[in-house]
Structure formats: C-alpha cells, structure tokens
Amino acid sequence: VQLVESGGGSVPSGGSLRLSCLTRGLNVYRFCMGWFRQVPGKEREGVASINGDGRTSYPDSVKGRFTISQNNADNTMHLHMTTLKVEDTAMYYCAASSGACGTWRSQMTFGYWGQGTQVIVSS
C-alpha cells in the first residue's frame, strides 16, 4: 500500500487549498480513510475521515470549513480546506485503515500513512 499526498502550499488567512491523496494497493471504498495534521511538538490530530459508505466526520475545529471526499474510480482522496486560519498551519497526512472508522480520531487506528504535505497559512 502506498499513499502520496499533494496540494500543500502557502496561502493567506481566509484562503483555500485542496489536498489530494493518491493511493496504490488499496480500494478506498473498502477502507476508512482519514486526514491528520501535526505541528512540531504536538500530537498528530485527526481532521477528517470518510468510510466506504461516504459517511464523514470532523472535529469542531474544522467542521464547516474542511470537506473530505474520495473517488472510488481512481482511488484518490481529497481534503478541500476553506476559510483557512493561521492555526491550520501543519504538516497534513493522509491515512488508511482496513478497519472501521469508529475510532478514527486515534492515529493508532490507521496502519498506512503518506509522507505528508506542508500547509502554511499566513496572517
């Protein structure tokens, strides 16, 4: 299994970015897929998940601003981020779990990870 993120970059506060996760070796509709972010010195934080039925989940910190989606045809996953804030600055990782999404907030749920893509939001 391979996960490769893209789409990170630098944007001003209030801007938007769309992250993508290209997968190889899995069918996204059979996995719990998630996006996490991490800043130095802090734990990795889950920001979105989507299961095979398309059910999504978000923490309050990003709800209404971030949208996770997946394309079953080409096994890609995306995170559309709008109204970005300085505190959204982090390395963003896509992740996959062969299990259910019930405990998706924990990074221990996910056995497959990408290398990350950096998002910088400036004030």
Side-chain angles (χ1 to χ4, degrees), residues 20-70:
S20 295
C21 178
L22 174 67
T23 75
R24 290 193 177 93
L26 62 81
N27 298 113
V28 293
Y29 66 93
R30 293 184 181 274
F31 281 68
C32 172
M33 304 297 296
W35 285 97
F36 284 73
R37 66 186 180 188
Q38 189 171 26
V39 296
K42 291 190 176 182
E43 286 193 7
R44 203 166 283 193
E45 174 194 19
V47 295
S49 73
I50 185 168
N51 69 6
D53 295 329
R55 180 176 297 180
T56 59
S57 185
Y58 309 90
D60 288 343
S61 58
V62 307
K63 195 173 293 183
R65 301 189 298 120
F66 289 14
T67 303
I68 188 172
S69 62
Q70 65 186 31

